[in-house]
Amino acid sequence: MKKRLLPILLTFTSLVAWSQGINVTGKVMETDTGEPLIGTTILFVNVKDSTASKFTTSGLDGSFIVKDLTRAFYKISIRSVGYKPYSRLVRLTQTVSLGVIGLEPDVEELEEVVIESDLAVIQKGDTTVFRAGSFKTNPDATAADLVSKMPGIVISDTGVESNGESINQVLLDGKRFFGQDPLLALNTIPAEVVNEVEVFDQQSERSRMSGFEDGNTTKTMNVVTKENKRQGEFGRFVAGMGSDSRYMLEGNLNSFKKNRQLTILGMSNDINKTEFSTSDITGSRSGSGRRGGNRFSGGAQQTPTGITGTNTFGFNYSNEKPEKWQLETSYFFDRENLENSARTQRETFIGDFTQEYDEENASESLNSNHRFNLRGTYEIDPNNSLLFSPSLTLQDNESVDFTEGTTSVEGSQINQTINNFLSETQGYTSKNNLVYSHKFGGKTGRTFLLDMNVNRNSSEGQDSFQDLLSDSSIVYNNKTYGTLWSAEPSFSEPVGTSSKLQFSYLMSRNNRAREVEAFEFGLSEVQNRTFISALSNRFESIATIHQPSIALSKRSFSNFFTFQLALQATTLENGSLNTGSDTFTNRFMVLLPSAFGRIPISDEVSMFFRYSTQTGLPTTNQLQEVIDNSNPLFFAVGNEELDQSYTHQLFVRIGKTNTERNTSLSNFIILRQTNDIISSATLIAQSDSLLADGVVLPRGAQLTSPINLDGFWNLRNTTTYSFVLTQLKLNLSANLGVGYTKNPGLINNELNTSETYNLNSRLTIASNISKNVDFNVSYTYNANKVENTIQSRQNSNFFTHTIGGKMNITLPGNFVLRSDLNYQYYDGISDDFNTTYALWNASVAKKFLKNNAGELTFTAFDLLNQNQSITQDVTASYFQERNSLVLQQYFMVSLMYTLRSFN
């Protein structure tokens, strides 16, 4: 019996070892000194299937580990600048240690070895690595302050960019940190715990689980902490009081222990400090719930201004059991009270005359958000895994605004409005993604994957429009809701030694609905109400998509390519539920080709390209044919017969990094062309016009509706060059961008094509002198030229010059001087729109307590009392300037305590 059981047990043990994957460990040392080599690249190339290749880098003690290799022959390649390359061929059958591997110094590069220790940037394949120790920041700096000194990285109030591309998420030691909120993450992490910052294109969840490159990448920044800062507690707490009853409370606490990370933060202030992005699911984030206006216009989206009181709280938690499960979750709450007042001046050219609109507006809104994100992975066994990533956002908005607007022609008033608008809206959106992956044990690279999504959204509210000129009020009860589900099974099969073939089939159904009920009240008789059928509608749109596709991916050591062809069949069913009219059905059948890949041009230069096609469905707002007159001078109405748009897009990025000279050059170009783009048709009434029963469009007022038009083009090219002035200890980054947009639109039934040419440049100088002398200086120039085919009088040129600077100097006696200056000059559309202002803030601080943990600070905001907020918009039908309320001069005294306790 024992003789029979023994071979069975041996066979079972071998199968278990086979299925668990092979781990290889080792240590890289210098042969002459025996010192460990840090950051050495170790690459394992699968001789038979290069798609199964893996790489890693050595740690602080020179050690490394490569996980989950399969039984095969591998070529090991180990490289480090200043040392001779090492390579060997091995056959892996089980987990093994390679012991100590010695690298010999390269005699021809001995002089460069000295430079290597000070390298600020390292290129590892497609990943750019910035060494934090090469960038000097003040002791209180955040990770945001640190990365702003790194070549090609720019941080602004709107987000984070790397060489002109937006960073969409920030990871902390490879784990998600507060969902996908880069500003929140970087402003929470202190600079002193950062060892490296990696910037790369992260593969989609599908690609990582299936091993097939699908081209859906996310520009990602990974903050790698120092080994000795990964265990302990650290944080910062600030309290301040100022003039005009200004106040600030802020704090964050981080607790790291082995694989567990916990961050808790909170903030309360009335000095416009948010630094966290906010969700908008009710469409009322900007402070006004007004539904009407230019919802289909091509104008630039306004950034919220005014004076904001903010209350926030959040936490981020992550933990894992290696090779079994991983959990990442975050919750964030923010409550903002925004007060604003603004003056808007608009000029619209109609034939041979000019129509002018002047508006005074005062508004207040209270907006609350709850955001919850979770990502969990579970390895059922070596061949089966699950990913579950739900998210939930709740929003509540209350807003009120007062508007007084006048339209005139050649100085004569043709219409006027004085009104109040009140809005109360609540909404939620939930997204749920589940991915199951199965690896077939019989053949490496053969996988089955099922990707499922269920998303729901809903918002409900009441808007009240009070016309103070006519002593009447209209109440709008509105509700929107939608459910989207999709399922996409896919099967990947290896082809040859370096290619894979994937078959997939996407099925989705998107059910969207919007209801509007309008009632008219007399302000003096609020009990009586009249239903307004012309302003009421119940509308439903159902989009059903079937999309089979086939894709081929080929990868080698230095490049990869993926080609995909999909056939998309879409059925769009639209109907007004309360009118009893027939459902309007549109069917679309399109081919969606795509291709992407990386081509190495030389050892230092590589090119990445992506060509894709996609379709875009109209929203329920754009489809619903109900008149929206909640802004009495700017009406809007939908179009039930809209088609889906079809877009071609080409993205090409070329990068060159010279790690020895600490220089980098990056250039990317985006070309986008869209057929059937959903543009706008604007009708400017030459006389009072009856639109529907009892609904009149006054003379000079505008009616805007969406329409499909061909001829949209967008081109953008951005070049970034970064280098180091070693002797002056300065990091310089220069950015040059050019853009072109061709946007069609209809004005009074005539086709007008607006062409916009843009030139923008930016020069940034960041100090790298010491932690006691820290400064950043930048200059930005932006030029725009707009030409219109039928509105030639509206052609215009306008320019913006911006000079910014930030300084932090530590003086003897533990005193700290801080100052920042932002000077802006607008050379506007006309002399009336030209303006110049400077915003200068300064503070002096005294550090005390052990390790300078305490700090007392006196701050002066807007020393010159010149702060302004000006927004200029140029569209195919008008141009306008908006001057809004901003926070002006105040003074504050604050106390800060810094916690640092590492094990």
Side-chain angles (χ1 to χ4, degrees), residues 162-180:
S162 175
N163 292 326
E165 296 181 71
S166 295
I167 299 291
N168 296 313
Q169 68 176 355
V170 170
L171 309 179
L172 183 61
D173 290 325
K175 301 174 184 177
R176 281 165 178 77
F177 197 67
F178 282 102
Q180 292 184 322

Side-chain angles (χ1 to χ4, degrees), residues 733-839:
S733 180
N735 179 284
L736 178 64
V738 294
Y740 168 76
T741 301
K742 183 179 180 181
N743 197 12
L746 287 182
I747 302 176
N748 286 350
N749 296 318
E750 288 190 72
L751 178 63
N752 178 54
T753 300
S754 175
E755 295 180 291
T756 302
Y757 303 86
N758 172 262
L759 171 68
N760 60 83
S761 61
R762 179 184 177 93
L763 175 65
T764 302
I765 302 175
S767 69
N768 205 21
I769 299 172
S770 72
K771 293 184 177 181
N772 296 327
V773 179
D774 182 9
F775 64 85
N776 286 16
V777 180
S778 66
Y779 168 73
T780 303
Y781 172 74
N782 196 306
N784 298 272
K785 179 179 181 180
V786 181
E787 296 182 350
N788 296 273
T789 54
I790 67 170
Q791 300 286 353
S792 58
R793 295 183 61 198
Q794 195 171 320
N795 296 345
S796 58
N797 302 322
F798 53 103
F799 313 88
T800 305
H801 302 264
T802 304
I803 300 175
K806 185 177 181 181
M807 178 186 68
N808 189 308
I809 298 178
T810 302
L811 302 174
N814 292 326
F815 285 94
V816 182
L817 293 179
R818 303 185 180 101
S819 181
D820 61 84
L821 175 68
N822 186 54
Y823 171 84
Q824 294 196 11
Y825 169 68
Y826 290 92
D827 187 356
I829 301 168
S830 67
D831 292 340
D832 294 336
F833 291 158
N834 292 348
T835 186
T836 301
Y837 70 91
L839 176 60

Side-chain angles (χ1 to χ4, degrees), residues 426-438:
Q426 302 82 38
Y428 78 89
T429 179
S430 68
K431 298 180 180 181
N432 301 275
N433 176 235
L434 179 66
V435 183
Y436 166 72
S437 175
H438 173 73

Side-chain angles (χ1 to χ4, degrees), residues 405-468:
T406 302
T407 305
S408 59
V409 175
E410 297 180 353
S412 298
Q413 178 180 312
I414 60 174
N415 61 42
Q416 183 183 23
T417 179
I418 303 177
N419 64 77
N420 286 322
F421 192 88
L422 300 89
S423 176
E424 295 182 6
T425 309
Q426 302 82 38
Y428 78 89
T429 179
S430 68
K431 298 180 180 181
N432 301 275
N433 176 235
L434 179 66
V435 183
Y436 166 72
S437 175
H438 173 73
K439 300 177 182 178
F440 294 89
K443 189 172 184 180
T444 302
R446 179 181 292 168
T447 60
F448 170 79
L449 187 138
L450 178 60
D451 188 351
M452 296 176 290
N453 292 274
V454 178
N455 301 337
R456 293 182 61 86
N457 66 83
S458 175
S459 67
E460 186 172 0
Q462 185 177 86
D463 301 333
S464 176
F465 170 75
Q466 298 176 351
D467 189 337
L468 302 181

Side-chain angles (χ1 to χ4, degrees), residues 87-363:
S87 64
R88 61 182 285 197
L89 188 67
V90 297
R91 180 174 180 265
L92 298 180
T93 58
Q94 59 184 359
T95 295
V96 65
S97 173
L98 299 180
V100 176
I101 299 174
L103 297 187
E104 298 180 4
D106 192 333
V107 178
E108 296 180 358
E109 297 185 6
L110 280 178
E111 294 181 358
E112 298 179 6
V113 174
V114 179
I115 301 175
E116 167 63 12
S117 62
D118 293 327
L119 287 181
V121 185
I122 303 172
Q123 196 69 34
K124 297 179 180 178
D126 292 335
T127 301
T128 303
V129 181
F130 302 91
R131 289 180 170 175
S134 300
F135 304 93
K136 303 296 189 297
T137 58
N138 68 83
D140 303 313
T142 65
D145 299 320
L146 174 65
V147 301
S148 65
K149 292 181 173 294
M150 296 175 176
I153 297 181
V154 175
I155 292 185
S156 65
D157 293 336
T158 58
V160 186
E161 290 185 353
S162 175
N163 292 326
E165 296 181 71
S166 295
I167 299 291
N168 296 313
Q169 68 176 355
V170 170
L171 309 179
L172 183 61
D173 290 325
K175 301 174 184 177
R176 281 165 178 77
F177 197 67
F178 282 102
Q180 292 184 322
D181 196 331
L183 286 177
L184 172 57
L186 293 176
N187 282 300
T188 303
I189 305 169
E192 67 175 279
V193 306
V194 181
N195 182 46
E196 291 180 342
V197 174
E198 302 172 336
V199 177
F200 58 95
D201 294 316
Q202 187 179 61
Q203 293 178 319
S204 66
E205 303 284 11
R206 289 169 52 89
S207 292
R208 294 199 295 274
M209 296 182 71
S210 67
F212 188 91
E213 298 272 4
D214 63 5
N216 297 317
T217 60
T218 301
K219 201 68 178 181
T220 301
M221 178 179 289
N222 181 35
V223 178
V224 183
T225 59
K226 299 175 182 176
E227 290 281 353
N228 60 348
K229 304 291 186 181
R230 295 179 181 175
Q231 295 247 113
E233 289 75 36
F234 58 92
R236 185 172 67 174
F237 310 91
V238 185
M241 292 294 296
S243 58
D244 300 326
S245 300
R246 300 294 174 197
Y247 77 95
M248 177 183 65
L249 294 172
E250 181 180 344
N252 66 77
L253 177 64
N254 303 268
S255 176
F256 289 6
K257 185 176 181 181
K258 294 184 179 179
N259 295 320
R260 177 187 61 78
Q261 297 176 351
L262 174 64
T263 296
I264 301 174
L265 58 81
M267 178 170 61
S268 179
N269 69 79
D270 62 354
I271 57 173
N272 280 12
K273 186 175 182 182
T274 57
E275 296 183 352
F276 311 134
S277 63
T278 305
S279 298
D280 179 19
I281 59 177
T282 65
S284 50
R285 174 66 187 89
S286 62
S288 170
R290 189 180 298 274
R291 293 161 37 250
N294 301 291
R295 59 176 179 170
F296 305 128
S297 74
Q301 190 173 11
Q302 300 277 347
T303 300
T305 54
I307 299 177
T308 304
T310 303
N311 294 279
T312 65
F313 170 79
F315 72 84
N316 188 90
Y317 175 80
S318 63
N319 203 347
E320 67 175 333
K321 183 178 181 180
E323 301 179 6
K324 193 61 180 177
W325 57 265
Q326 185 181 65
L327 177 68
E328 301 163 349
T329 183
S330 67
Y331 165 77
F332 191 76
F333 165 78
D334 66 88
R335 184 180 178 90
E336 296 184 2
N337 188 355
L338 172 64
E339 297 181 16
N340 194 18
S341 61
R343 182 182 180 185
T344 301
Q345 296 173 281
R346 174 182 296 190
E347 294 186 14
T348 304
F349 293 100
I350 309 171
D352 297 330
F353 66 93
T354 301
Q355 179 172 295
E356 298 177 349
Y357 175 72
D358 196 304
E359 177 187 282
E360 296 283 350
N361 175 270
S363 64

